[in-house]
Amino acid sequence: MQIHKDGDQLKTEKSNTTVIMEFVLLGFSDMPKLQWILFVMFLLIYLTILMCNSIIILITRIDPALQNPMYFFLGNFSFLEICYVTVTIPRMLMDLWTRKGNISLLACATQMCFVLMLGGTECLLLAAMAYDRYVAICNPLHYSLVMNNKVCIQLVAASWTSGIPAVIGQTCQIFFLPFCGSNTINHFFCDIPPVLKLACGDTFVNEITVYVVTVVFIMVPFLLIVVSYSKIVSNILKLSSAKGRAKAFSTCSSHLIVVVLFYGTATITYLQPKPNQFERMGKLISLFYTILIPMLNPIIYTLRNKDIMVALRKLLGKLLT
């Protein structure tokens, strides 16, 4: 009799638990009067990112003066930025247009996987770019030997592929969790912190995994960049010529600005303790590093780089004649 009673209780509990088959991205639904303004604004930002980064890719490929490792990395970085924003912005534009944020578990997992993979690639590629500047400034006589074509391709390939196993494993670990209750994600894309909040049961192991992966793919490359730039600054200060110091600083400053902006916002997102993650602030920070920084990057690199400005003028001259 007791067994029968326990069985009935188990069936009742199962029937009361709703298994989530899809999520709803709330996005900016709390600002209904601004939906069309946001749509136009994000569309213009997306088109600007595509156009500016495509121009950088084009001039680094065709201009003879830009055929060196620094611009090879910059071209790859621009292509990465196009991929990065394409994972989030088109989906967000569709949600703003339709006023619906429904997304299947598979689509959500896929988006999360690509966001993490491309974000990890960006961290590693920024570290590779810092190493390139370190060799160029601290070991200029052996620069062409150390940073040969084969090494550059290997560094870029390692940046793109190193994080794939960890990212796929982490995404699977999160989406193997049971999701029940609310299915609304207070975000404009499927990111780890808001998705984990919807999981049933204990997510301690998943949170520890997030911290470990963050340390490996954000903090370790960041420390390598810090070490590279500390040696670069030390070397620059030893230069006797003020003009030489200014030129050396100008080649590094744009990269350093991008590093501070991207690493700062990404670290805040993935390393802050769970209770302190205010949803509105988390959304704002994510907006900054997934959309605004990719828009600023071409401007930062273009305005602070004379070679790119010269190449742009040459390209415009060819187009207008």
Side-chain angles (χ1 to χ4, degrees):
M1 186 72 181
Q2 183 65 35
I3 295 169
H4 181 70
K5 186 178 179 181
D6 289 344
D8 288 344
Q9 188 178 356
L10 188 62
K11 285 179 183 177
T12 306
E13 286 176 2
K14 283 184 178 179
S15 63
N16 289 336
T17 303
T18 306
V19 179
I20 293 173
M21 299 306 292
E22 69 171 11
F23 292 123
V24 177
L25 291 164
L26 293 182
F28 302 96
S29 58
D30 55 338
M31 296 181 279
K33 293 181 180 178
L34 298 176
Q35 296 288 293
W36 290 113
I37 296 172
L38 289 171
F39 177 84
V40 172
M41 184 179 74
F42 288 131
L43 178 62
L44 290 174
I45 288 173
Y46 184 54
L47 294 175
T48 302
I49 292 168
L50 292 182
M51 183 181 70
C52 292
N53 282 290
S54 296
I55 290 170
I56 289 176
I57 293 168
L58 180 64
I59 62 174
T60 54
R61 292 286 294 175
I62 65 171
D63 196 287
L66 303 182
Q67 301 308 305
N68 61 54
M70 183 171 82
Y71 298 109
F72 172 73
F73 287 120
L74 183 57
N76 275 276
F77 187 73
S78 294
F79 176 68
L80 173 63
E81 293 291 59
I82 290 173
C83 296
Y84 195 48
V85 295
T86 301
V87 175
T88 53
I89 298 183
R91 172 80 215 189
M92 183 171 62
L93 291 172
M94 187 183 76
D95 292 343
L96 285 167
W97 179 270
T98 61
R99 306 276 178 115
K100 295 176 183 177
N102 299 60
I103 183 168
S104 67
L105 259 67
L106 179 60
C108 188
T110 303
Q111 186 185 52
M112 181 187 288
C113 188
F114 275 101
V115 166
L116 296 176
M117 183 180 72
L118 295 169
T121 300
E122 184 155 342
C123 292
L124 296 171
L125 194 55
L126 286 170
M129 291 167 80
Y131 176 69
D132 170 68
R133 292 298 82 211
Y134 161 73
V135 177
I137 292 169
C138 300
N139 197 7
L141 296 176
H142 297 95
Y143 179 63
S144 57
L145 183 66
V146 175
M147 297 303 294
N148 59 60
N149 190 51
K150 184 181 177 182
V151 170
C152 292
I153 292 170
Q154 286 174 341
L155 284 170
V156 168
S159 299
W160 279 92
T161 58
S162 296
I164 293 175
V167 165
I168 291 174
Q170 188 173 37
T171 306
C172 290
Q173 187 186 39
I174 290 168
F175 281 86
F176 281 155
L177 290 168
F179 293 97
C180 52
S182 175
N183 70 333
T184 55
I185 300 173
N186 192 7
H187 215 296
F188 58 90
F189 72 95
C190 290
D191 202 6
I192 292 175
V195 171
L196 270 182
K197 285 183 180 180
L198 304 183
C200 302
D202 188 14
T203 58
F204 177 76
V205 174
N206 301 86
E207 287 165 31
I208 293 298
T209 306
V210 171
Y211 289 133
V212 171
V213 172
T214 302
V215 166
V216 172
F217 288 98
I218 295 181
M219 298 313 294
V220 171
F222 181 70
L223 289 173
L224 291 173
I225 291 169
V226 169
V227 170
S228 297
Y229 272 101
S230 62
K231 292 189 176 184
I232 287 169
V233 170
S234 175
N235 202 275
I236 289 172
L237 293 174
K238 291 176 185 176
L239 296 174
S240 55
S241 166
K243 189 178 179 181
R245 285 198 298 270
K247 186 179 179 181
F249 271 122
S250 70
T251 61
C252 299
S253 57
S254 54
H255 179 251
L256 204 53
I257 292 167
V258 171
V259 166
V260 170
L261 290 173
F262 180 77
Y263 274 93
T265 50
T267 303
I268 292 168
T269 299
Y270 295 108
L271 281 183
Q272 64 174 320
K274 192 176 178 181
N276 296 330
Q277 283 178 342
F278 299 105
E279 290 179 340
R280 188 178 288 269
M281 183 60 70
K283 211 188 296 188
L284 185 64
I285 292 168
S286 296
L287 193 68
F288 195 77
Y289 77 82
T290 57
I291 296 172
L292 295 181
I293 292 177
M295 184 184 71
L296 291 172
N297 283 348
I299 300 167
I300 293 167
Y301 278 110
T302 303
L303 294 178
R304 300 191 66 85
N305 192 299
K306 289 180 182 178
D307 292 337
I308 289 184
M309 291 298 289
V310 170
L312 275 173
R313 289 193 195 103
K314 280 162 55 177
L315 181 65
L316 284 171
K318 286 179 182 178
L319 293 173
L320 294 173
T321 55

